[in-house]
Amino acid sequence: MISDRWPLVDAATMRGLDRHTIETLGVPGELLMESAGRAVVDAVLALRPRDTPVLVACGSGNNGGDGLVAARHLHALGVPVRVALLVDPNELRGDPAANWSRLVAAGVPWEGGRFRVPEAALVVDAVFGTGLSRPVAGRAAEALERLGQTRGRTVAVDVPSGVCADTGRVLGVAVSADVTVTLGLPKLGLTLEPGRQHAGRIVVARIGIADEAPNLVPRSFMLSRAGAGGLLPARPAAAHKGSFGHVLVVAGSEGKTGAAALAAAGAVRGGAGLVTVACPASLNPILEVKTTEAMTVPVPETDERAFANNAQEAVLALAAERDVVALGPGLGRSLETQSFVRDLAKRVERPLVLDADALVALAEDPAALRARRAATILTPHPGEAARLLGTSASEVNGDRPAWARRLAERTGAVTLLKGAASLVAQPDGELTVTPTGGPALGTGGSGDVLTGLVAALLAQGLPAAPAAALAAYVHGACADRIAARRGRSGLAAQELAEEIPATMEELRTVVARRTETQALALPFPEPR
């Protein structure tokens, strides 16, 4: 269990919570809509430069109804506001229809059809809400494109129109907002790219919708900065290197000793007390130079200077005396080495972190990992996940939460799906989103550092899911710190490893300074 996380919901869960609040708890839908509209007004007033006109674009559903409420209150406050209604008023039903009548009675100007967007207007996007599930097309797409042409600013209601609330995908065309006022609970798609970029700054409006209901408990979360800091392993004053675990890195092949060295560096900088690298015998002299802080052990190799199948016994003997095994970086993909990986993964009785070429080797039968008794963590990028799942990287990227969960369920392993907003999925379906990291991580070797970091946290006693979530958070935060100092390109993976201690210390400081009042006022998402 990971504490200090923001619950995230998909569209179906949010609809269920909304229905439970109205039908079971007896809160009128019109009251919820009134509260939502007022929350939008607050965001508009905070963002709007003086004397700027406001255009509120409304669709036919409850999202449009929220916009109608906001327009009525803005008009009452003397703000120059106009409503662009994208449907015939006679098509409105229920609460939106009631609020349309109120808006007309209040004398709020409106227009329909091919509405005009004043060049410098602040736009309120209340066109589509969480219910959108298919690509926007036709007149609706034209309307969203017009909304995007303003030189003013944009406030989106609940989710930017055109963004999938579940996956963050853009469904044809989408509004790009400066601020998104998300209602009740944050939507999962707002934390995932490209939805995260379209959302801008996210404000969570607590309008009275229940957070939970029978059979409707959020299963997705975003790890907060305080939550990450709270997961960091303790460093007692009387501790020594034996107190912080011993990681065995099984990695490297000809031309890829750097991967082994980077994984070892991630483990060392991640706080492991001891690190040993097992490598093909002829590469040992190279890795003895590359990995000054880690021990190295040569094991049997193939003619191609990769792990031989008969290296299993030597590696198993090493693993028996260590706490965690990290397997995969730079192993190569020869048939013999892949056989070595498949057999070793079944036989190792220690917690196991699998990455890179080890994941390729296991693609034949990933479900075989379910037989393992010790903790297992997979750290694939979308291409590796696709290979394990028998699909394509584009399919995985189309719905990263669903595929991460599917891989975790199939293998029985905690799955850290790397990418913009890395995801940690557990076999029971629980999902944690990491808000840190960005394009600076797009460099060779960054994943190897992450593998070592995950292993180090396991070796220090963290359970698999918290270890994976904390490692992803720290890894991304390291890149963010470097990017803030120097820019988002040109990062070298070794720099990530070197940044880990300072990043962890910063997180410890956040926890130390945190008060109960601050805990109740955590922003969403937190600044990187």
Side-chain angles (χ1 to χ4, degrees):
M1 182 67 180
I2 305 171
S3 60
D4 285 314
R5 303 175 298 175
W6 274 93
L8 307 171
V9 292
D10 57 24
T13 301
M14 198 67 240
R15 285 195 298 272
L17 293 173
D18 192 61
R19 188 165 53 249
H20 171 75
T21 302
I22 295 170
E23 297 176 2
T24 303
L25 302 183
V27 180
E30 285 191 76
L31 180 59
L32 296 177
M33 191 168 285
E34 193 75 12
S35 296
R38 288 305 306 260
V40 173
V41 169
D42 291 342
V44 169
L45 296 178
L47 187 66
R48 170 181 172 262
R50 183 182 295 273
D51 299 327
T52 299
V54 177
L55 178 75
V56 183
C58 299
S60 61
N62 286 343
N63 196 257
D66 298 335
L68 294 173
V69 172
R72 172 165 49 85
H73 283 289
L74 288 168
H75 179 73
L77 291 170
V79 174
V81 60
R82 177 177 294 273
V83 168
L85 189 64
L86 274 60
V87 296
D88 187 310
N90 295 320
E91 296 178 19
L92 298 175
R93 298 288 183 271
D95 296 338
N99 277 299
W100 172 255
S101 298
R102 296 183 183 117
L103 179 129
V104 172
V108 180
W110 70 278
E111 58 187 315
R114 293 188 60 83
F115 59 88
R116 179 180 59 85
V117 182
E119 186 173 285
L122 185 149
V123 170
V124 175
D125 161 32
V127 180
F128 296 115
T130 59
L132 185 66
S133 60
R134 60 176 182 267
V136 181
R139 293 176 61 184
E142 293 176 7
L144 296 190
E145 288 172 352
R146 281 204 301 282
L147 293 177
Q149 292 171 0
T150 177
R151 294 184 183 178
R153 302 180 183 185
T154 301
V155 174
V157 179
D158 213 11
V159 295
S161 292
V163 169
C164 176
D166 294 352
T167 68
R169 285 191 302 135
V170 169
L171 299 172
V173 59
V175 169
S176 290
D178 297 279
V179 174
T180 294
V181 181
T182 195
L183 307 173
L185 291 172
K187 312 308 179 290
L188 177 57
L190 298 179
T191 69
L192 307 172
E193 296 294 354
R196 184 168 67 172
Q197 292 301 312
H198 280 265
R201 185 171 65 87
I202 298 169
V203 175
V204 181
R206 310 288 285 165
I207 63 171
I209 299 175
D211 288 351
E212 295 183 1
N215 302 316
L216 284 174
V217 178
R219 299 292 290 155
S220 301
F221 304 87
M222 190 187 79
L223 184 61
S224 72
R225 184 169 48 177
L231 289 175
L232 287 168
R235 308 290 289 187
H240 51 83
K241 63 185 178 183
S243 306
F244 303 121
H246 193 158
V247 172
L248 175 64
V249 176
V250 184
S253 61
E254 185 173 34
K256 297 180 180 179
T257 56
L262 288 168
V268 169
R269 294 302 189 186
L274 293 165
V275 178
T276 297
V277 179
C279 61
S282 66
L283 302 180
N284 189 66
I286 298 171
L287 282 165
E288 281 190 327
V289 174
K290 282 180 171 286
T291 58
T292 307
E293 296 87 0
M295 296 170 279
T296 64
V297 179
V299 301
E301 65 181 13
T302 66
D303 292 341
E304 293 80 23
R305 305 175 78 188
F307 283 86
N309 209 11
N310 64 358
Q312 285 185 54
E313 300 307 324
V315 174
L316 287 169
L318 290 169
E321 298 178 354
R322 274 77 182 172
D323 298 294
V324 176
V325 177
L327 174 63
L331 288 177
R333 300 184 183 182
S334 71
L335 293 178
E336 184 171 352
T337 300
Q338 290 191 8
S339 178
F340 160 80
V341 168
R342 285 190 290 270
D343 292 342
L344 188 68
K346 296 174 186 176
R347 298 178 66 191
V348 167
E349 297 179 352
R350 292 286 187 261
L352 181 61
V353 182
L354 294 163
D355 184 32
D357 291 331
L359 298 175
V360 174
L362 292 164
E364 285 186 5
D365 185 19
L369 291 171
R370 295 187 66 86
R372 282 182 43 77
R373 295 183 180 180
T376 308
I377 299 177
L378 313 181
T379 62
H381 57 57
E384 291 161 346
R387 188 187 292 263
L388 289 162
L389 290 161
T391 185
S392 66
S394 61
E395 285 291 318
V396 170
N397 282 324
D399 192 347
R400 296 176 69 241
W403 287 106
R405 285 176 163 133
R406 193 171 304 176
L407 183 54
E409 191 280 329
R410 180 175 296 183
T411 60
V414 170
T415 297
L416 197 175
L417 180 59
K418 294 180 286 196
S422 291
L423 307 178
V424 175
Q426 300 182 47
D428 66 0
E430 186 169 301
L431 187 81
T432 301
V433 181
T434 304
T436 60
L441 286 172
T443 185
S446 63
D448 302 321
V449 174
L450 177 61
T451 298
L453 177 55
V454 173
L457 294 172
L458 279 175
Q460 292 171 80
L462 265 65
L470 176 58
Y473 191 103
V474 170
H475 186 253
C478 288
D480 293 341
R481 285 165 55 94
I482 295 169
R485 292 198 302 265
R486 205 188 57 212
R488 290 174 289 180
S489 61
L491 180 147
Q494 184 64 39
E495 293 178 281
L496 280 176
E498 298 301 327
E499 195 74 17
I500 291 171
T503 301
M504 287 183 165
E505 192 59 29
E506 181 180 67
L507 292 174
R508 287 191 176 93
T509 301
V510 168
V511 173
R513 292 178 178 174
R514 188 176 180 227
T515 66
E516 188 64 26
T517 301
Q518 290 170 327
L520 296 173
L522 284 171
F524 178 88
E526 293 177 342
R528 296 183 190 173

